[in-house]
Amino acid sequence: MSERLADWTKGEQAITFQTCGACGHVQYFHRAFCAACGAADPRARRASGRGRVYATSLVCRAATPETRALVPYNILLVDCPEGFRMMAHGENGLAIGDTVTASFKPFAGKLVPFFTKEA
Amino acid sequence: MSFITGVGLTPFGKHEGSSSLDLMSKAAQSALDDAGLKRAEIDGILCGYSTVSPHIMLATVFAEHFGIRPSYAHAVQVGGATGLAMTMLAHHLVTSGVCRNVLVVAGENRLTGQSRDALIQALAQVGHPDYEVPLGPTIPAYYGLVATRYMHEYGVTEQDLAEFAVLMRAHACAHPGAQFHDPITVADVMASKPVALPLKLLDCCPVSDGGAAFVISRERTGEAGVHIRGCAQAHTHQHVTAAPALSALGAEISIARAKEAAGLTISDVRYAAIYDSFTITLAMLLEDLGLAGRGEAAARVRSGHFGREGAMPLNTHGGLLSYGHCGVGGAMAHLVEAHLQMTGRAAGRQVRDASIALLHGDGGVLSSHVSMFLERVR
Ligand SMILES: [Zn+2]
């Protein structure tokens, strides 16, 4: 396995993805192997944190007491130039196609990626 | 050949004091009575899952409770596609000679058996535990994401989506077992509380108690025969983050395979029973399946195409959106209604011709798909 890079899913201010040394496949959900060809040890890389909005949904009815206190919050799917799609939060009013940049915000006890429109 | 020899369906809504097993038993007894079969003649049992009463062996729990000792039994879990996936498996079990009569059953006291928060939380777990769930999404949010993208690519509006809720409610008004009987308008849908925009409360199916069951048999037991002409599945992803492009979703793949298995085309279809967890789900599936052109399904609703008197009657019981959604049994109600229509037993809801029906189920976030053609034989 390659050394672990900082990642938001571990509470650190970074977005990482994996690339396969054998076939070049890019994957966002980390695994010990490439989901396209099965090769072991895909390499972890740090993403630029830039992207383009693929879809949005403003959550107005949340499921838990912790998240209900935070509505409305905007959930996004963001296409990143490195070749993967991710789910994140973003400022309200973002539109599909907007170019966005990631920062990080606390949300219901965790750190989550938060995208804002690039100036 | 395989035949759907009996169907059973409870009313959906509140069944205060009924357990999942109670609702399953009620539906199963109706299906057996409808098929004219006794418990001892059932040699296979397939059942769905219950979020209220999860169990690692629900099929044998049910078999013992109901009083059957089958030679084949287990539960199946494919989210909203479970009912049709079980039917497809039952079809293969009887056509291959493993079973003679398979009971397919599901039921859940999803409305009165747990808090709404507990349910929403349980269902949100279809999201990825590390990469999605920490962001606080809900099932409506997953479909809300799909909706904004679909609206963006095909010029569909929120008013367009509202048409599907209005149609399903109009159909539910004619079914005494439906959860909702008050007519609604597009304006009502638009004014309903925001849930996960662009989806509002009336774009979303309710939570219900209820049960549904069918018997799939090698030989027909009654005069009117409904047989499974062909079916197929497609599974492209689990999580919406990993979903393919809108043009490559599983519904198009499964319908292509089902058409080939059945030797039928969409122009042969006379009745449609399509999964409708949200208005966007129904709009997309109708277009993915070829029952409407891209971005044109809402216009077809407005023109009456999918109404009881229209060229392609759709979910004449009211669908998940207005008959109700009790989990696995929810989408099974679509097949029960199709069967009643095909056998001329839909009373005031009867359509002119339901000789060939297309059924489609979707599980997850457009993740798992089952398409199925039923045909009436004399
Ligand atoms: Zn690879």
Side-chain angles (χ1 to χ4, degrees):
Chain A
M1 290 287 286
S2 50
E3 81 291 3
R4 193 181 78 76
L5 296 183
D7 187 73
W8 73 269
T9 60
K10 303 282 194 293
E12 299 142 351
Q13 300 207 5
I15 297 162
T16 64
F17 62 104
Q18 293 177 317
T19 57
C20 173
C23 78
H25 176 69
V26 174
Q27 60 192 23
Y28 177 57
F29 297 163
H30 290 226
R31 309 167 174 89
F33 53 87
C34 166
C37 76
D41 294 339
R43 182 161 166 217
R45 292 173 188 270
R46 185 162 178 166
S48 63
R50 299 186 62 234
R52 187 176 290 270
V53 176
Y54 176 77
T56 70
S57 181
L58 188 71
V59 177
C60 302
R61 171 76 169 92
T64 64
E66 307 85 69
T67 52
R68 195 170 308 134
L70 301 167
V71 295
Y73 49 90
N74 204 13
I75 291 195
L76 312 177
L77 289 174
V78 176
D79 282 338
C80 300
E82 293 86 356
F84 65 92
R85 180 172 296 161
M86 66 180 290
M87 190 179 283
H89 281 196
E91 58 183 340
N92 293 353
L94 283 176
I96 288 173
D98 282 349
T99 305
V100 288
T101 314
S103 57
F104 297 86
K105 271 198 172 181
F107 177 81
K110 297 227 178 184
L111 193 70
V112 303
F114 185 91
F115 283 87
T116 49
K117 198 164 176 172
E118 218 165 63
Chain B
M1 292 260 268
S2 73
F3 296 90
I4 298 170
T5 50
V7 295
L9 179 67
T10 72
F12 283 8
K14 279 190 180 174
H15 289 271
E16 210 72 64
S18 288
S19 67
S20 294
L21 278 179
D22 290 337
L23 292 162
M24 290 167 77
S25 302
K26 208 173 194 178
Q29 188 61 56
S30 309
L32 255 59
D33 292 344
D34 192 37
L37 292 170
K38 305 242 173 302
R39 279 170 169 68
E41 295 172 281
I42 300 295
D43 56 356
I45 290 184
L46 296 171
C47 76
Y49 49 88
S50 167
T51 58
V52 178
S53 312
H55 195 285
I56 59 169
M57 295 176 66
L58 190 57
T60 30
V61 168
F62 173 77
E64 177 193 283
H65 177 78
F66 193 64
I68 292 179
R69 294 182 173 185
S71 55
Y72 187 99
H74 57 77
V76 173
Q77 292 188 302
V78 210
T82 305
L84 285 184
M86 291 193 291
T87 310
M88 178 170 175
L89 176 57
H91 161 70
H92 289 308
L93 288 171
V94 301
T95 52
S96 63
V98 174
C99 295
R100 188 166 287 279
N101 296 298
V102 178
L103 174 63
V104 172
V105 59
E108 203 174 329
N109 52 334
R110 204 171 249 210
L111 177 56
T112 59
Q114 65 192 335
S115 77
R116 185 168 289 257
D117 281 353
L119 176 72
I120 294 173
Q121 237 173 308
L123 295 180
Q125 303 307 312
V126 306
H128 194 291
D130 301 325
Y131 291 95
E132 295 180 346
V133 172
L135 298 159
T138 55
I139 300 277
Y142 298 133
Y143 276 88
L145 288 165
V146 174
T148 54
R149 188 68 204 184
Y150 200 81
M151 292 161 72
H152 174 81
E153 288 194 26
Y154 299 110
V156 172
T157 67
E158 289 187 46
Q159 283 83 357
D160 287 342
L161 295 183
E163 293 285 353
F164 296 92
V166 173
L167 176 69
M168 288 302 102
R169 183 59 60 88
H171 286 178
C173 286
H175 197 308
Q179 188 161 350
F180 297 106
H181 292 117
D182 302 319
I184 56 172
T185 64
V186 168
D188 292 333
V189 181
M190 295 300 292
S192 62
K193 273 192 303 192
V195 174
L197 292 175
L199 302 177
K200 299 163 291 293
L201 188 65
L202 292 174
D203 287 298
C204 307
C205 64
V207 177
S208 321
D209 298 334
F214 346 117
V215 181
I216 316 297
S217 305
R218 207 181 303 167
E219 280 141 36
R220 71 168 92 175
T221 59
E223 221 158 88
V226 172
H227 94 107
I228 298 168
R229 172 86 182 240
C231 43
Q233 303 185 9
H235 308 266
T236 54
H237 63 281
Q238 172 62 31
H239 306 107
V240 68
T241 301
L246 293 178
S247 58
L249 285 171
E252 289 195 51
I253 304 168
S254 72
I255 188 65
R257 289 174 183 157
K259 284 194 281 193
E260 179 154 4
L264 291 171
T265 67
I266 293 300
S267 62
D268 296 314
V269 177
R270 294 293 177 265
Y271 179 86
I274 311 300
Y275 195 78
D276 59 325
S277 51
F278 299 95
T279 52
I280 182 64
T281 321
L282 186 53
M284 283 182 71
L285 290 176
L286 287 170
E287 295 174 9
D288 284 353
L289 296 170
L291 290 165
R294 282 286 167 215
E296 292 171 3
R300 288 200 154 189
V301 174
R302 288 189 195 98
S303 74
H305 183 78
F306 295 118
R308 240 182 343 264
E309 312 286 329
M312 186 64 69
L314 169 71
N315 303 348
T316 50
H317 64 305
L320 298 167
L321 285 168
S322 276
Y323 190 89
H325 193 353
C326 60
V328 172
M332 289 169 64
H334 294 59
L335 187 148
V336 170
E337 178 74 358
H339 193 274
L340 294 179
Q341 291 287 3
M342 298 178 84
T343 51
R345 299 184 294 162
R349 306 184 309 283
Q350 186 63 47
V351 302
R352 276 190 305 276
D353 175 13
S355 51
I356 293 185
L358 169 61
L359 292 85
H360 188 89
D362 148 39
V365 191
L366 301 163
S367 320
S368 287
H369 296 264
V370 187
S371 305
M372 178 175 290
F373 289 95
L374 301 182
E375 180 183 36
R376 177 175 175 166
V377 287
R378 292 178 189 282

